[in-house]
Coordinates of all heavy atoms in Angstrom, one line a residue:
G1 N 4.3 95.1 29.9 CA 4.7 94.3 28.8 C 6.1 94.0 28.6 O 6.6 92.8 28.5
S2 N 6.9 95.1 28.8 CA 8.4 94.9 28.7 C 8.9 94.2 29.9 O 9.8 93.3 29.8 CB 9.1 96.3 28.6 OG 8.7 97.1 29.7
Q3 N 8.3 94.4 31.1 CA 8.7 93.7 32.3 C 8.4 92.2 32.2 O 9.2 91.3 32.6 CB 8.1 94.3 33.5 CG 8.6 93.7 34.8 CD 8.0 94.4 36.0 OE1 7.0 95.2 35.9 NE2 8.5 94.2 37.2
F4 N 7.2 91.9 31.5 CA 6.8 90.5 31.4 C 7.8 89.8 30.4 O 8.2 88.6 30.8 CB 5.4 90.5 30.7 CG 5.0 89.1 30.3 CD1 4.5 88.2 31.2 CD2 5.1 88.7 28.9 CE1 4.2 86.9 30.8 CE2 4.7 87.5 28.5 CZ 4.2 86.6 29.4
L5 N 8.3 90.4 29.4 CA 9.3 89.8 28.5 C 10.6 89.6 29.3 O 11.3 88.5 29.1 CB 9.6 90.6 27.3 CG 8.4 90.6 26.3 CD1 8.7 91.6 25.1 CD2 8.1 89.3 25.6
A6 N 10.9 90.5 30.1 CA 12.2 90.4 30.9 C 12.1 89.2 31.9 O 13.0 88.4 32.0 CB 12.5 91.6 31.7
K7 N 10.9 89.1 32.5 CA 10.6 87.9 33.4 C 10.7 86.6 32.6 O 11.2 85.6 33.1 CB 9.4 88.1 34.1 CG 9.4 89.2 35.2 CD 8.0 89.3 35.9 CE 8.1 90.3 37.0 NZ 6.8 90.4 37.7
Q8 N 10.1 86.6 31.4 CA 10.1 85.4 30.6 C 11.5 85.0 30.2 O 11.8 83.8 30.3 CB 9.3 85.6 29.3 CG 7.8 85.7 29.5 CD 7.2 84.5 30.1 OE1 7.4 83.4 29.6 NE2 6.4 84.7 31.2
A9 N 12.4 86.0 29.9 CA 13.8 85.6 29.6 C 14.5 85.0 30.8 O 15.2 84.1 30.7 CB 14.5 86.9 29.2
L10 N 14.2 85.6 32.0 CA 14.8 85.1 33.2 C 14.3 83.7 33.6 O 15.0 82.8 34.0 CB 14.6 86.0 34.4 CG 15.1 85.6 35.8 CD1 16.6 85.5 35.8 CD2 14.6 86.6 36.9
G11 N 12.9 83.5 33.3 CA 12.3 82.3 33.6 C 12.8 81.1 32.7 O 13.1 80.0 33.1
I12 N 13.0 81.5 31.4 CA 13.5 80.5 30.5 C 15.0 80.1 30.9 O 15.3 79.0 30.8 CB 13.5 81.0 29.0 CG1 12.0 81.1 28.6 CG2 14.3 80.1 28.1 CD1 11.8 81.7 27.2
G13 N 15.8 81.1 31.3 CA 17.1 80.9 31.7 C 17.1 79.9 32.9 O 18.0 79.1 33.0
Q14 N 16.2 80.2 33.8 CA 16.2 79.3 35.1 C 15.6 78.0 34.9 O 15.8 77.0 35.6 CB 15.4 80.0 36.2 CG 16.1 81.4 36.7 CD 15.3 82.1 37.7 OE1 14.1 81.9 37.8 NE2 15.8 83.0 38.3
N15 N 14.7 77.8 33.9 CA 14.0 76.6 33.6 C 14.4 76.0 32.2 O 13.5 75.5 31.5 CB 12.5 76.8 33.7 CG 12.0 77.3 35.0 OD1 12.2 76.6 36.0 ND2 11.6 78.5 35.1
T16 N 15.7 76.2 31.8 CA 16.1 75.7 30.5 C 15.8 74.2 30.3 O 15.3 73.8 29.3 CB 17.6 76.0 30.3 OG1 17.8 77.3 30.5 CG2 18.0 75.5 28.9
F17 N 16.1 73.4 31.3 CA 15.9 72.0 31.2 C 14.3 71.7 31.0 O 14.0 70.8 30.1 CB 16.3 71.3 32.5 CG 16.0 69.8 32.5 CD1 16.8 68.9 31.7 CD2 14.9 69.3 33.2 CE1 16.5 67.6 31.8 CE2 14.7 67.9 33.3 CZ 15.5 67.1 32.5
Q18 N 13.4 72.3 31.7 CA 12.1 72.1 31.6 C 11.6 72.5 30.2 O 10.7 71.8 29.5 CB 11.3 72.9 32.6 CG 9.7 72.6 32.6 CD 9.0 73.3 33.7 OE1 9.7 73.9 34.5 NE2 7.7 73.2 33.7
F19 N 12.1 73.6 29.7 CA 11.8 74.1 28.3 C 12.1 73.1 27.2 O 11.3 72.7 26.4 CB 12.4 75.5 28.0 CG 12.2 76.0 26.6 CD1 11.0 76.5 26.2 CD2 13.3 75.9 25.7 CE1 10.8 76.9 24.9 CE2 13.1 76.3 24.4 CZ 11.9 76.8 24.0
F20 N 13.4 72.6 27.3 CA 13.8 71.8 26.3 C 13.2 70.3 26.4 O 13.1 69.6 25.4 CB 15.3 71.6 26.3 CG 16.0 72.8 25.6 CD1 16.6 73.8 26.3 CD2 16.1 72.9 24.2 CE1 17.2 74.9 25.7 CE2 16.6 73.9 23.5 CZ 17.2 75.0 24.3
L21 N 12.9 70.0 27.7 CA 12.2 68.7 27.9 C 10.8 68.8 27.2 O 10.4 67.8 26.6 CB 11.9 68.5 29.4 CG 11.1 67.2 29.7 CD1 11.8 66.0 29.3 CD2 10.9 67.2 31.3
G22 N 10.1 69.9 27.3 CA 8.7 70.1 26.6 C 8.9 70.0 25.2 O 8.1 69.4 24.4
L23 N 10.0 70.7 24.6 CA 10.3 70.7 23.2 C 10.5 69.3 22.7 O 10.0 68.8 21.6 CB 11.4 71.6 22.9 CG 11.8 71.8 21.4 CD1 10.6 72.3 20.6 CD2 13.0 72.6 21.2
A24 N 11.4 68.6 23.4 CA 11.7 67.2 23.0 C 10.6 66.3 23.1 O 10.3 65.4 22.2 CB 12.8 66.6 23.9
L25 N 9.6 66.5 24.1 CA 8.4 65.7 24.2 C 7.5 65.9 23.0 O 6.9 65.0 22.5 CB 7.8 65.9 25.5 CG 6.4 65.2 25.8 CD1 6.7 63.7 25.8 CD2 5.8 65.6 27.1
M26 N 7.4 67.2 22.6 CA 6.5 67.5 21.5 C 7.1 66.8 20.2 O 6.3 66.3 19.4 CB 6.6 69.0 21.3 CG 5.6 69.5 20.2 SD 5.9 71.3 19.8 CE 7.5 71.2 19.0

């Protein structure tokens, strides 16, 4: 579980544009 959160943090950092694109689309 803790490793999953760490990967999520890394994934969000690497895919910041995709995350905010989804948020803006919503």
Side-chain angles (χ1 to χ4, degrees):
S2 59
Q3 188 176 12
F4 171 78
L5 288 175
K7 289 182 179 179
Q8 290 298 312
L10 180 61
I12 291 176
Q14 293 176 344
N15 302 293
T16 304
F17 175 76
Q18 183 178 356
F19 172 78
F20 282 101
L21 176 63
L23 180 63
L25 178 62
M26 181 193 72

